Amino acid sequence: METKILRAEALVKRYGKKEVLHGLDVAFEPGHIYGLIGRNGAGKTTLLGCLTGQLRTTGGMVSYGGAPVWENARALGEICFSRELSPMLMFGQNTYKVKEYLRAARYYYPHWDEEYARRLMKEFGLDEKKRICRLSKGMLSMVTIVLALASRAPVTILDEPVAGLDIVARERFYQLLLEDYAETGRTFIVSTHILDEASNVFEQVIVMDDGRIIENAPTEELVGQFHHISGRADEVDAAVAGCTVLFCEQLGRSKAVCVRCNDEALARISAHDVDVAPMNLQKVFVALTGHKEEDSHETK
Amino acid sequence: MNGMLNEQTSIYLQIAQMMENDILRGIYAEEEQVPSTNELARQFRINPATAAKGVNLLVDEGVLYKKRGIGMFVSAGAVAAIREKRKAAFYEQYVKSLVSEAANLQITQTELLEMIRRAAGAQ
C-alpha cells in the first residue's frame, strides 16, 4: 500500500466574491479512518472537492506524496472521491444506468476490484440496469458506497455515504468499511451528519465550522475533554469556576453546563456536590458548533 | 464477546472489561485464543485502533499474551489475576460510593450495616 500523505496548506477557496475556505491546513496520514463533520454550509464538500482536484483552489496548495494534486492523473488515480449522486443533471434527469457508473470507475481507478464491486452490488440488492433517476435516496447512497469501496484507492473519500440509509444499512456500511480497512489498511475520509454509529469508527475527527477547521484530534481524546455538569446552580458555578463553559442551561435553582477541561480540573469539579456525566461526539459537536443558533435566540 | 457498548466510559475500557467478564465466566478458558482486534472492530463497529487499545491494556496486565503471527491468548492464572484486581477496585468503586450515597440519604451507619447484612443473607 502507498504511504503518501494527502495535504492541504493554506487552502483558500472562493466562489466569486464569497470565500468559503479561509486558509486551511490539514494532513491525512496513510492508514487511518478520518471523520469530517460540520454543519450545513461549513465547507466540507468544497474541501473534499479541492483535496481531490475536482475543484480548483483559489489559494494555497493541495499535494499528495509531495506532488500537487491538480491535473495530476497519477495522484488522482490513487484518490477516490465518491460524491453524492444526483438524480438530476444540468439538462434534465440523470438517465445514466448504474452499470455505466461502474464502467467509468473501472477505467478511472487503477486499483478497481470488479469482483468486490459485484459482491457489494449483490449485498445491497442493486440492479445495474437501473437508471440513476429511478433510484431511491438510499439506493443512490449504496451506489456511491460500491464505487468507493471497490475503487480500492489508497485514499478513499466518501461524502455523506449514509444519507438516506436506514439504521440497519448504516451499521452494515460501517461493518463493510471496517472489514475492508482491516484487509487493506487504506485511508478513509468520511463526511457525515449522522454521528451515532460513526463516532466509534472514526479514529480521528475533523470539525469544520464556517470555512475553518476548528478541531482535528483523535476522537476519543476530543470527546474525553468535554463533560456535562449539573446540580444546584450555586454549586455548579463554584465547581466550574475558571473552566471553559460551552453552554449552560438553567431551570429554577438547577443548572447544567458543558465544560471543556483536563482530568485535573475534572477531579476538582467532581469534589463538589454536582453530577458529572460524559458526553458523546454528537453532543460535543453541538456544543462546539451550535453557538450561532444560541446567539440568534438571545437577540430575538 | 457480545455485550453492548454504552457511552458512560471509554470504548477501549469497555472492551477490556467485557473480555475480562468473558474470561471470568469461562467463555474464554486459560490458554485459549480470543478474538483478534479486527474481529472485535467488526463486531462492535469500532475502529481497530480502539479495540487494540483495550486488548493491549490486558496484555500489559498479563491477562492476555501475544503469540507472534498467531494471535492473542488468555494467560495461565488470568482468572485469579482478574479476581484479585477487581477485589482491589471493589473498595474504591463500590464501597466508597455506597457509603457516600448512604450519607446523602442520611442513612446511619447502623442502618447501613444492617442492610448489607440483610442483602448478604438473601444471597
Side-chain angles (χ1 to χ4, degrees), chain A residues 33 171 175 178-179 181-182 200-203 220 278 280, chain B residues 7-8 10-12 38 41-42 45-50:
Chain A
I33 303 176
E171 292 205 341
Q175 203 163 33
L178 287 165
E179 275 169 20
Y181 177 68
N200 293 336
V201 174
F202 299 155
E203 187 175 352
E220 202 161 333
N280 60 25
Chain B
E7 288 179 347
Q8 296 308 303
S10 303
I11 302 295
Y12 77 96
N38 280 334
R42 182 182 180 280
R45 284 169 226 100
I46 57 176
N47 194 284
T50 313

Side-chain angles (χ1 to χ4, degrees), chain A residues 46-146:
Chain A
T46 302
L47 170 62
L48 296 178
C50 290
L51 283 173
T52 52
Q54 297 192 5
L55 285 176
R56 184 154 214 166
T57 60
T58 311
M61 151 111 151
V62 176
S63 62
Y64 180 65
V69 160
W70 183 251
E71 295 203 330
N72 176 348
R74 197 137 169 231
L76 294 178
E78 305 282 296
I79 306 170
C80 167
F81 180 23
S82 199
R83 278 169 174 276
E84 276 185 280
L85 287 176
S86 170
M88 294 297 285
L89 292 176
M90 216 172 293
F91 303 106
Q93 288 190 316
N94 186 343
T95 55
Y96 287 108
K97 289 177 179 168
V98 175
K99 68 173 170 193
E100 285 160 330
Y101 273 84
L102 292 174
R103 194 184 305 143
R106 202 178 305 146
Y107 286 117
Y108 197 75
Y109 298 114
H111 305 280
W112 179 258
D113 186 338
E114 183 69 23
E115 192 270 328
Y116 187 31
R118 299 271 150 219
R119 206 156 16 105
L120 291 167
M121 291 284 291
K122 208 169 160 195
E123 154 112 30
F124 288 131
L126 286 171
D127 179 359
E128 63 167 11
K129 294 191 202 80
K130 274 219 169 165
R131 295 183 191 280
I132 294 295
C133 59
R134 295 266 172 258
L135 297 180
S136 70
K137 199 164 183 200
M139 284 159 113
L140 288 173
S141 291
M142 288 171 190
V143 175
T144 66
I145 290 168
V146 173

